[in-house]
Amino acid sequence: MSLLIKEIEKAQNNKTAIGHFNISNLEMFKGVLAGAMNLSPEGKTPVIIGLSESERKYIGTEETVGFVQKLRTETNYPVFINADHCKTYESAEEAVQAGFDSVVIDNSKLSLNENIEATKRTTAILKGIKFDILVEGEMGFIGGSSKLLDQIPSEVQVTEDTITKALDAKRFAEETGIDMLSPAVGNLHGVLKNFLNPRLNMERIKEIAEAVNIPLVLHGGSGVAKEDIQEAVKSGMSVVHFSTDLRVAFRKGLIELVEDYFPNNPNEVAPYKYLTIAVKAVEEVVTQKLELLN
Ligand code: G3H
Ligand code: ZN
């Protein structure tokens, strides 16, 4: 049994959740770790570092596994690495071969039957490559990327009749052989610029948690009201994903650098000194999110 599933099951039993934070670069990685260590320097707050296919391409698949694993061995800090939203078998396989702890198979754009077939096939092959790889399946399309949105994209499933139904979730979990399930429960990827993100459907989360006997994962945590995140965790979400809010924080850190730090420090040229401002911005968001989950 993998260490990560043990941590997730612990969270499931305690009705807390593990934070999953997407990173694009080393600075964001540092920010996530510092944010987690603020809560628990001795490592009682596990975190999952997530990389989408594009993030992996930018930062490097094997490189990221290398530094996460090295840090885990050296510090004994429970930090894990997830290949987020793998859209193809090849992408998931690359992550498993490279040593990721978990993969998300994202066939959420397919019909339920097609999604079950494709997820089942990929799960079986991946587990053949590495028996204890943790596989997450995804139901219901909640949007394609972590960005600022003018409005809810039309194809996103957030209404009561389009979000995941408990019986479908049960069938999906049983037939695919996945270890974790991420349903659509009113959540979406990205943050609405001018409105609050939709409320999560707590009743549905409870029904799904009741029907399914594997841990549940909430995607699209950015922009969701704090009370909704806390309530969703109590209702059965054991992992919560955040990305856009970290991207916004990193960008704000860079704006502060350009508008304030550089004019006041014209001779400072060492990135490891000035980029700490952007790292700090990410760290603060991560600590706030983890407080909500624990
Ligand atoms: O997999 C990534 C997450 O679901 C992030 O979603 O950008 O809305 O926080 P978010
Ligand atoms: Zn996601």
Side-chain angles (χ1 to χ4, degrees):
M1 195 190 238
S2 79
L3 269 183
L4 177 55
I5 194 71
K6 279 191 194 159
E7 293 287 0
I8 293 173
E9 285 176 354
K10 208 196 290 172
Q12 192 182 18
N13 293 333
N14 294 340
K15 295 244 184 267
T16 58
I18 297 182
H20 172 292
F21 300 98
N22 286 75
I23 62 160
S24 299
N25 56 27
L26 203 50
E27 284 70 35
M28 293 181 83
F29 177 61
K30 281 174 169 292
V32 173
L33 271 184
M37 284 179 173
N38 284 341
L39 279 189
S40 165
E42 70 286 358
K44 291 204 178 105
T45 312
V47 277
I48 305 172
I49 301 290
L51 283 94
S52 67
E53 290 173 341
S54 307
E55 287 165 333
R56 252 199 275 163
K57 209 165 168 190
Y58 182 76
I59 191 170
T61 299
E62 289 180 358
E63 291 81 346
T64 318
V65 173
F67 60 69
V68 169
Q69 282 184 347
K70 189 152 193 325
L71 188 125
R72 187 158 69 193
T73 315
E74 278 175 6
T75 64
N76 226 359
Y77 198 90
V79 51
F80 301 95
I81 181 163
N82 173 50
D84 210 10
H85 296 291
C86 296
K87 304 278 171 39
T88 61
Y89 165 72
E90 289 74 16
S91 151
E93 193 211 346
E94 180 198 51
V96 174
Q97 301 282 16
F100 275 62
D101 298 292
S102 57
V103 291
V104 177
I105 302 175
D106 185 353
N107 293 313
S108 59
K109 276 200 153 175
L110 301 180
S111 70
L112 178 63
N113 284 341
E114 289 168 338
N115 189 349
I116 289 178
E117 264 323 296
T119 304
K120 180 179 172 180
R121 202 171 44 240
T122 305
T123 303
I125 307 174
L126 295 180
K127 286 185 178 285
I129 298 173
K130 189 178 177 216
F131 77 97
D132 63 349
I133 187 73
L134 215 56
V135 179
E136 177 184 326
E138 183 145 354
M139 297 179 75
F141 184 64
I142 61 159
S145 53
S146 290
K147 59 183 179 187
L148 297 174
L149 302 163
D150 290 314
Q151 56 192 24
I152 301 177
S154 58
E155 69 280 22
V156 165
Q157 297 169 305
V158 284
T159 57
E160 194 168 349
D161 51 328
T162 56
I163 61 175
T164 304
K165 294 174 183 64
L167 278 180
D168 290 341
K170 180 174 159 58
R171 186 180 152 215
F172 189 93
E174 286 173 358
E175 292 185 18
T176 54
I178 52 170
D179 305 291
M180 296 183 293
L181 172 68
S182 124
V185 288
N187 49 327
L188 56 87
H189 284 134
V191 172
L192 287 164
K193 273 194 288 190
N194 305 315
F195 313 93
L196 291 174
N197 276 31
R199 303 300 305 260
L200 303 179
N201 189 320
M202 298 304 163
E203 272 320 298
R204 195 59 64 85
I205 296 176
K206 286 180 198 152
E207 285 166 23
I208 296 171
E210 186 85 356
V212 167
N213 60 5
I214 53 174
L216 300 181
V217 180
L218 179 69
H219 281 250
S222 299
V224 177
K226 286 181 189 169
E227 316 79 72
D228 270 20
I229 296 282
Q230 288 176 313
E231 192 60 34
V233 172
K234 279 194 216 140
S235 304
M237 290 292 175
S238 305
V239 176
V240 183
H241 283 223
F242 299 97
S243 177
T244 312
D245 282 345
L246 274 69
R247 292 179 172 188
V248 169
F250 187 77
R251 186 187 148 106
K252 277 193 186 144
L254 294 184
I255 292 172
E256 188 187 326
L257 259 181
V258 172
E259 292 183 350
D260 185 27
Y261 183 88
F262 286 153
N264 287 310
N265 298 273
N267 298 323
E268 184 53 76
V269 292
Y272 57 81
K273 287 191 182 160
Y274 59 73
L275 280 174
T276 50
I277 293 178
V279 171
K280 190 81 194 159
V282 172
E283 172 186 335
E284 283 167 6
V285 171
V286 169
T287 303
Q288 287 161 15
K289 302 295 185 194
L290 287 173
E291 277 166 355
L292 290 179
L293 308 184
N294 291 279

